[in-house]
Amino acid sequence: MDRFRMIFQYFQSNSESITNGICGLLALASVKMYTCFDFSCPCLPGYNMAYGLGIMFIPPIALFLCGLILNRQSVVMLEEWRRPQGHRKKDLAVIRYMCSSIMQRAMVAPVVWIVVTLLDGKCLICAFSSSVDPEKFVGFANASPLQVQQLLAKVPCKDDELMRNNTSRKAVSRYLRCWSQALGWSILLILIIAAFLARWLRPCFNQATLLQARHWSNYIDIEQKIFEETCCEHSRLFAHKCILHFFESMQQEIKLHSFSLPREGEGAEGEEDLLWGITDQDQVNKFLKMWYYEKPPLDVSQVTQR
Amino acid sequence: MDKFRMIFQFLQSNQESFMNGICGIMALASAQMYSAFDFNCPCLPHYNLAYGLGILLVPPFILFLLGFVLNNNVSMLAEEWRRPRGQRGKDPAVLRYMFCSMAQRAMVAPVVWVSVTLLDGKCITCAFCTSVPVETLGNASHSGLSQGEMKRVLARIPCKEIYDGQEFIANEVAVRYLRCISQALGWCFVLLMTLLAFLVRSLRPCFTQAAFLKSRYWSHYIDIERKLFDETCAEHARSFAKVCIQQFFEGMNTDLAAARCHPPRKAPDDVGETAEKLLGITDQGTMNVALKSWHRCKPPLHLHPPALPSGNGWAGEKQPPAHPPTPRREMAAYYSRV
C-alpha cells in the first residue's frame, strides 16, 4: 500500500507526469480500440479506397482532439495566451513551449493508431487492392478491365464465393501487406530517430531559454491550481460564517420573542451553543422555512468585524 | 481496501473529479451494456426500421436522463432556480453554468452508446436492409417479384439462416455494404463529437474567462453552503435528540419517585460515571416501565429551558428547582422531519 501511495503521490506532485500518464493511457486505448474494431472491407469498386483510407485517417484525428481535450495544460495555455496583459508581461517563449509539449503528447495516440494499422495491413489491402497492376498476377491478367476491377475489389474479402480458393487473391494480398508493413516499420523508424535526435540535440541549442520556459510554464500551472484550491477554501469559510450568522440571528430573534425563558446557570452554555436556542419543533420548522424562503445575503462583513 | 479508500478520497476531495469519475463509469457501463445486450433483428419489413432505430436512439435518451438523476447537483440546481429571492439576488449566469456542466457530463454515456452501436453495425444493417440498392449490388432485373415481396426478401438479410434471396443479392455483399456505411457514419459521428468538445473547451478561455471564473466560484459556494448547512442541522438534531431523551428519562424517574412517595434518587457524588449513566433506573421493573413509556408515548419535541443540562444529564444537581417539572404528555404520537 505504501508503494502504491508513493507512486500516486509522485504522479500527482508533478503535473507533467500526469499528462504523460494520460498520454500513455490514450495510446493503449488506441491499440485496444483497433483490436476491438471489426474491420470489414466493403469489397465494392468505388467504396474500398474511401473506407480503407477513412479508417486509417479519421480515428487519428479524433484521437488527436481527445489528446488535446484531456490535457489540462491546453486550457491553461489558452488562458495564458488570451489573458489581458495587466501588470504581468506575457512571454511568448513560454506559450510556445507549452504548445509544443501539448502537441507532442497529443500526437502519440494517433501515431500509434496509424502504425498499428499499417503493420496489420488490412486497411491498405482494402484501399489499394483495386489499384494494383493486374499484369503482375496470373489470375487477373487475362480478364476484361471491368471484370478485373470487380475481382480486384473483392481481394480483401477472403470468404467471398468468387475468391474462396483463388491463389492470385492470396498473391495480391501478400504483396499489399508487404508494402503496408514496410511502410509501417519505416514510419516507426523515422519517428524514433527524429525523437532521439530532438532529445539529444536539444541541450545544444538554447538550453538556458528552455530551462526558463519550462520553469515558468510549471509555475503558471501550479499557480492556477493553487488559486482554485484557495478559492474553494475561501468559499468554505465564507459559507461557514454565513451559516453561523444566520443561526445567531435566529437565536436573537427567539430571545427577543420569548421573555419567559430565564437562562439559569453557566452550565447551560455548552449545549446551548449547539442548540442555538432552537429547542422546539415549531422553532425548527420556522427556521428551516426561513432558510428556504429568505436565504441570508452574501455579506459576512458584520460577522468578521466583531 | 486502503488503495480504494485513497482513490475514493482523492476523487471526493475535488467535486469535479468525482463527477468526472461517475461520468467515466457510466460511459464504461454503456459500452458493457451494449456488448451484453442480445440484439435480435425481427427480419420483417416494417418492424426492422422501428427496431433498429429504436435500439439506436432510445437507450441513449435513457442514459442521458440517468446521467442527470445520478448527479447530486441536479437537486441543488433546481433548488437554486426555484427559491424565492429573499435577501439574496439570483444570478442566471451561475444557473447556466451549473446546467451546462451537468448536461456535458450527462452527454458522454449516450454518445458512447451511439458510437459503439454505429461502429458495430448491427442496428443499421437491421434498420436499412430493405433499402439496399439491389440494381448495383446484385441482379434485380432477373426477378419477377413485386415490390412488397422483394422487400420481404430483403428484410431477411440480417437473419442469415432464413435468407432466401441469394440469387438477387448475396447476403455477404449486402451485409458488408451496410456495415461499411454504418462504420463510416460511426467514425464521422465520433469525429464530430470530439470536434465539438474541443471547440467548447478551447473557445471558452478566449471569450468569457472572467464570467466563467465568477460562475464557477459561486456554484462551488452554493454546493459547499448546502453541505455545511446540512452538517450543522445534523449536529443540532443530535443535540436536540440527546437533550430530549435525557429529559424523558428524568421525567420518568421523577414520576416513578412521586408514585412511590419518596424524593428522586440522587446519585452520590463519589460513585462516578457509571451511576450517572444509569439515569436513576436501577431495576428491571423501572426499565420495563421506561421502555413501555417510550414506545406508547414519546415525549413532545419541546425542550424545557430550565432543565438544559450542564453536561451529565442530571437536572437540578447543581441548582435544584423547587418542584420537579412535570413533562407534558401528549396522547397522540406524531413524527416530524427535523
Side-chain angles (χ1 to χ4, degrees):
Chain A
M1 279 315 116
D2 262 341
R3 191 174 48 173
F4 186 78
R5 196 183 327 179
M6 248 171 47
I7 294 175
F8 203 57
Q9 274 175 354
Y10 170 74
F11 271 113
Q12 253 194 307
S13 62
N14 190 355
S15 73
E16 272 200 21
S17 301
I18 292 184
T19 43
N20 286 343
I22 292 187
C23 166
L25 277 174
L26 211 55
L28 285 175
S30 152
V31 173
K32 179 90 177 125
M33 250 178 17
Y34 183 77
T35 47
C36 287
F37 176 63
D38 190 14
F39 187 92
S40 67
C41 194
C43 294
L44 297 165
Y47 292 71
N48 276 7
M49 171 93 70
Y51 185 82
L53 293 181
I55 298 296
M56 201 153 91
F57 291 119
I58 291 183
I61 298 177
L63 285 167
F64 179 71
L65 292 173
C66 261
L68 292 178
I69 291 169
L70 291 175
N71 195 344
R72 222 184 122 266
Q73 280 217 337
S74 52
V75 177
V76 171
M77 181 204 81
L78 278 172
E79 279 174 19
E80 175 64 16
W81 184 38
R82 299 297 301 172
R83 70 171 169 91
Q85 179 126 332
H87 291 297
R88 188 189 286 188
K89 280 196 306 232
K90 279 202 268 197
D91 189 356
L92 281 177
V94 171
I95 296 175
R96 267 198 310 264
Y97 173 84
M98 286 172 88
C99 194
S100 79
S101 89
I102 291 166
M103 292 286 174
Q104 280 166 30
R105 288 192 178 90
M107 288 290 282
V108 172
V111 161
V112 165
W113 175 279
I114 290 178
V115 166
V116 167
T117 306
L118 287 173
L119 292 180
D120 188 34
K122 288 192 285 225
C123 271
L124 233 63
I125 294 176
C126 184
F128 293 108
S129 66
S130 310
S131 322
V132 159
D133 182 9
E135 303 300 319
K136 289 190 188 150
F137 302 97
V138 173
F140 301 121
N142 299 325
S144 71
L146 196 62
Q147 253 188 331
V148 156
Q149 281 301 311
Q150 293 268 354
L151 286 173
L152 283 176
K154 288 197 193 296
V155 159
C157 299
K158 289 194 261 270
D159 299 324
D160 194 84
E161 50 200 350
L162 289 174
M163 289 281 141
R164 214 155 270 163
N165 290 316
N166 196 328
T167 43
S168 307
R169 180 201 72 79
K170 290 181 195 160
V172 173
S173 180
R174 272 200 305 267
Y175 173 75
L176 286 169
R177 183 175 270 146
C178 152
W179 267 107
S180 170
Q181 289 179 343
L183 201 59
W185 284 118
S186 312
I187 289 180
L188 196 59
L189 183 67
I190 290 174
L191 285 174
I192 289 187
I193 289 179
F196 175 77
L197 285 175
R199 218 162 148 93
W200 258 76
L201 296 180
R202 201 171 52 184
C204 305
F205 301 100
N206 285 335
Q207 180 66 355
T209 323
L210 181 74
L211 285 175
Q212 282 174 4
R214 194 165 68 181
H215 175 269
W216 289 115
S217 83
N218 269 345
Y219 171 80
I220 291 170
D221 192 25
I222 290 174
E223 190 188 47
Q224 217 220 21
K225 267 193 207 131
I226 294 183
F227 180 73
E228 282 172 17
E229 276 174 28
T230 316
C231 277
C232 271
E233 195 48 48
H234 181 269
S235 67
R236 198 181 160 81
L237 289 171
F238 197 110
H240 189 55
K241 285 256 154 23
C242 203
I243 290 170
L244 280 181
H245 188 48
F246 183 70
F247 271 90
E248 279 168 6
S249 63
M250 267 307 286
Q251 192 178 26
Q252 280 174 11
E253 217 180 281
I254 290 169
K255 269 193 193 144
L256 281 175
H257 286 149
S258 42
F259 300 105
S260 58
L261 292 178
R263 290 253 161 261
E264 290 175 8
E266 321 79 36
E269 289 299 318
E271 284 294 333
E272 196 181 296
D273 282 347
L274 291 173
L275 284 175
W276 298 101
I278 301 168
T279 53
D280 192 296
Q281 188 192 13
D282 290 331
Q283 285 170 355
V284 170
N285 287 343
K286 184 174 166 226
F287 167 76
L288 292 171
K289 214 197 295 193
M290 186 128 120
W291 177 255
Y292 175 68
Y293 278 104
E294 283 185 30
K295 278 212 166 62
L298 291 166
D299 180 3
V300 295
S301 44
Q302 304 156 331
V303 180
T304 51
Q305 272 161 18
R306 250 189 243 161
Chain B
M1 269 311 116
D2 255 344
K3 189 164 56 166
F4 287 110
R5 193 168 358 130
M6 237 175 53
I7 294 178
F8 197 59
Q9 271 176 0
F10 169 70
L11 287 177
Q12 261 195 315
S13 64
N14 190 354
Q15 171 78 348
E16 285 204 6
S17 298
F18 184 66
M19 285 293 119
N20 287 344
I22 297 230
C23 170
I25 288 175
M26 276 200 61
L28 285 175
S30 155
Q32 182 62 24
M33 245 175 27
Y34 182 78
S35 51
F37 175 64
D38 190 17
F39 188 89
N40 268 318
C41 195
C43 293
L44 297 166
H46 297 294
Y47 290 69
N48 276 6
L49 187 68
Y51 186 83
L53 290 183
I55 299 295
L56 183 65
L57 298 172
V58 171
F61 183 66
I62 295 175
L63 286 167
F64 182 68
L65 292 177
L66 200 65
F68 272 105
V69 164
L70 290 179
N71 196 335
N72 291 339
N73 293 345
V74 162
S75 58
M76 182 176 86
L77 171 65
E79 210 181 285
E80 178 63 17
W81 184 37
R82 298 299 300 167
R83 72 170 168 91
R85 214 180 151 84
Q87 300 176 30
R88 187 189 288 189
K90 276 204 268 193
D91 190 357
V94 172
L95 292 171
R96 266 197 313 263
Y97 170 82
M98 288 182 355
F99 181 73
C100 283
S101 78
M102 277 190 264
Q104 279 167 25
R105 287 190 178 91
M107 287 282 283
V108 173
V111 162
V112 166
W113 176 278
V114 172
S115 312
V116 168
T117 305
L118 287 174
L119 291 178
D120 188 37
K122 287 193 285 232
C123 272
I124 297 286
T125 305
C126 183
F128 294 108
C129 54
T130 47
S131 320
V132 165
V134 189
E135 305 80 32
T136 40
L137 297 177
N139 30 8
S141 47
H142 292 200
S143 73
L145 295 174
S146 66
Q147 278 276 45
E149 287 203 18
M150 185 59 120
K151 275 206 177 337
R152 212 170 302 132
V153 166
L154 288 177
R156 295 202 189 115
I157 286 175
C159 306
K160 286 199 223 324
E161 316 83 49
I162 57 173
Y163 183 62
D164 53 356
Q166 203 68 9
E167 61 269 19
F168 309 128
I169 176 170
N171 190 291
E172 303 84 36
V173 171
V175 165
R176 274 198 307 257
Y177 174 78
L178 288 165
R179 188 185 264 161
C180 150
I181 302 244
S182 173
Q183 288 178 345
L185 275 175
W187 282 119
C188 290
F189 179 75
V190 166
L191 184 65
L192 194 68
M193 287 292 125
T194 34
L195 196 62
L196 212 65
F198 174 73
L199 284 175
V200 164
R201 205 163 149 93
S202 58
L203 291 183
R204 197 246 307 142
C206 301
F207 294 108
T208 52
Q209 183 66 359
F212 167 75
L213 286 174
K214 200 174 74 158
S215 309
R216 192 172 65 174
Y217 178 86
W218 289 115
S219 94
H220 281 167
Y221 173 81
I222 292 170
D223 186 32
I224 290 175
E225 189 188 49
R226 191 178 69 142
K227 282 194 187 108
L228 273 179
F229 183 74
D230 287 342
E231 272 174 35
T232 318
C233 280
E235 269 176 32
H236 182 272
R238 201 183 154 76
S239 305
F240 197 111
K242 189 164 154 197
V243 171
C244 198
I245 290 168
Q246 279 170 355
Q247 289 183 353
F248 169 74
F249 273 102
E250 284 153 28
M252 244 339 325
N253 213 11
T254 319
D255 280 349
L256 283 172
R260 288 179 208 151
C261 300
H262 59 76
R265 270 180 244 191
K266 275 190 215 168
D269 286 333
D270 52 348
V271 174
E273 273 185 36
T274 322
E276 290 169 1
K277 281 191 183 151
L278 286 175
L279 299 169
I281 298 175
T282 47
D283 63 275
Q284 188 186 23
T286 320
M287 191 68 223
N288 287 342
V289 171
L291 291 171
K292 213 194 297 189
S293 175
W294 179 254
H295 172 67
R296 288 236 177 98
C297 184
K298 280 207 164 69
L301 290 165
H302 180 90
L303 305 179
H304 312 302
L308 279 173
S310 52
N312 44 14
W314 265 108
E317 190 169 29
K318 294 198 174 115
Q319 278 140 4
H323 308 280
T326 45
R328 278 186 277 154
R329 288 193 188 273
E330 295 192 5
M331 285 298 119
Y334 59 92
Y335 299 96
S336 166
R337 278 199 202 163
V338 171

